[in-house]
Amino acid sequence: MEMQKTVDIDRILAAKAGNNARFVPKFLVNWLKRIVHEDEINAYLWESRNLTGTEWLTDCVRYLDLTLDVKGIENLPPKDDGRLYTFVSNHPLGGPDGVSLGSVIGKQYDGNFRYLVNDLLMNLPGLAPLSIPINKTGSQSRQFPAIVEAGFKSDHHILMYPAGLCSRKQKDGTIKDLPWTKTFIVKSVQSQRDVVPIRFDGRNSDFFYNLANWCKKLHIKFNIAMLFLVDEMYKNTHKTYHIRIGKPIPWQTFDKSKTPQEWAQWVREQVYSL
């Protein structure tokens, strides 16, 4: 069988730029292909084409040669207690942390969980069955609340990264998430899901953080740093990552004493204290 390309920069440019795609310099197209590791990614996606869900996530951990040091696994609620949970984590890497936590949660709950993810990740066949695609811009923006609502009303556990983007370097040099959004608080209360906080320790390269910060200073709206996340993923292979799982926070905790936005930052602080 001939290998099929899942990630195809030429096709993406043609779809996005139409006839103008022919004016994009060849050196720029080749640079994009190198940055997103088109050949390596397609080779792995073809190799793992028969795997989906938790099996695919666990194989990704193998492929990236990640060693996971998990503490607090006993804090994960039993899979047969008849309840549904919201798992929230910081997002330091933007790739390896996603597949690693998915593998851990998927094994614990027999694959019965769903990610809230950027809709671009639906292009990964192994991940798609576990994904609830969200896009706050473009044609799908009006459907965003209904999509999230359906996810929390489903019979699946939810795993999400409330910052929306991977972590950035702060002024004091620490690597932390941007402020968390309140969605997981509001929807967890409505669906009476306890919240399980998780901390994932890791960082990307200084180049990545400097690029992200310069884009912010220059008020560039397009997330240029996102283009480099695959390159960062390959830089973060062959490493040990520490995962800390906290005790579930009862949904009743999130009362009127704080606003949902304030409660979201409170949970964020609990994560970083693990």
Side-chain angles (χ1 to χ4, degrees):
M1 295 177 66
E2 182 180 353
M3 186 183 80
Q4 299 175 5
K5 293 175 68 173
T6 300
V7 178
D8 189 332
I9 295 299
D10 291 320
R11 187 179 67 217
I12 292 172
L13 284 174
K16 297 292 184 182
N19 290 331
N20 291 325
R22 68 182 187 274
F23 298 118
V24 180
K26 186 67 175 178
F27 78 88
L28 181 57
V29 175
N30 290 333
W31 176 79
L32 282 172
K33 290 181 179 181
R34 288 196 303 273
I35 287 299
V36 302
H37 293 257
E38 184 182 84
D39 290 341
E40 293 110 309
I41 288 293
N42 282 318
Y44 173 68
L45 293 178
W46 181 250
E47 172 194 321
S48 61
R49 64 190 180 279
N50 294 321
L51 300 176
T52 58
T54 302
E55 282 188 319
W56 184 77
L57 293 170
T58 301
D59 194 67
C60 282
V61 173
R62 175 204 61 79
Y63 170 68
L64 298 173
D65 190 25
L66 308 179
T67 300
L68 306 181
D69 172 36
V70 184
K71 295 290 194 303
I73 195 76
E74 70 278 1
N75 290 327
L76 289 177
K79 65 181 180 181
D80 55 357
D81 70 355
R83 302 187 60 192
L84 294 171
Y85 296 88
T86 304
F87 300 90
V88 295
S89 173
N90 62 317
H91 201 20
L93 303 180
D97 46 353
V99 296
S100 296
L101 289 184
S103 176
V104 172
I105 299 300
K107 289 177 182 177
Q108 179 75 9
Y109 298 101
D110 299 330
N112 183 32
F113 82 98
R114 295 293 181 270
Y115 291 100
L116 286 178
V117 300
N118 186 302
D119 62 335
L120 290 174
L121 294 178
M122 294 299 289
N123 291 312
L124 300 177
L127 186 65
L130 295 175
S131 300
I132 299 173
I134 56 175
N135 182 358
K136 294 184 180 181
T137 61
S139 60
Q140 197 202 63
S141 58
R142 294 180 183 177
Q143 302 172 8
F144 172 72
I147 291 171
V148 174
E149 180 84 7
F152 276 88
K153 283 186 175 180
S154 73
D155 294 328
H156 305 294
H157 302 292
I158 297 294
L159 171 58
M160 60 186 298
Y161 300 93
L165 299 173
C166 62
S167 305
R168 299 292 192 258
K169 181 181 283 188
Q170 309 301 306
K171 291 182 179 179
D172 63 0
T174 59
I175 308 300
K176 285 190 174 181
D177 279 4
L178 299 173
W180 283 13
T181 60
K182 66 182 180 180
T183 301
F184 78 97
I185 295 290
V186 174
K187 296 305 178 185
S188 293
V189 170
Q190 289 179 354
S191 57
Q192 298 186 0
R193 294 170 178 254
D194 291 351
V195 173
V196 181
I198 303 174
R199 175 171 175 166
F200 192 104
D201 287 334
R203 58 164 291 154
N204 286 319
S205 69
D206 286 335
F207 167 81
F208 176 85
Y209 298 121
N210 291 335
L211 175 63
N213 285 336
W214 271 110
C215 288
K216 181 179 178 181
K217 289 178 182 178
L218 296 173
H219 304 288
I220 299 174
K221 293 184 178 181
F222 178 72
N223 186 8
I224 296 177
M226 182 178 64
L227 294 175
F228 290 85
L229 283 178
V230 176
D231 194 49
E232 292 294 319
M233 179 184 75
Y234 277 100
K235 290 177 183 177
N236 283 313
T237 57
H238 317 300
K239 293 182 179 179
T240 296
Y241 291 103
H242 304 286
I243 299 173
R244 302 293 179 260
I245 302 172
K247 294 182 178 180
I249 304 171
W251 63 269
Q252 296 92 333
T253 303
F254 310 120
D255 58 21
K256 301 290 187 181
S257 64
K258 300 181 192 298
T259 65
Q261 188 64 44
E262 290 171 337
W263 276 122
Q265 306 326 307
W266 181 84
V267 176
R268 178 179 178 271
E269 291 173 7
Q270 302 306 304
V271 163
Y272 280 109
S273 70
L274 291 172

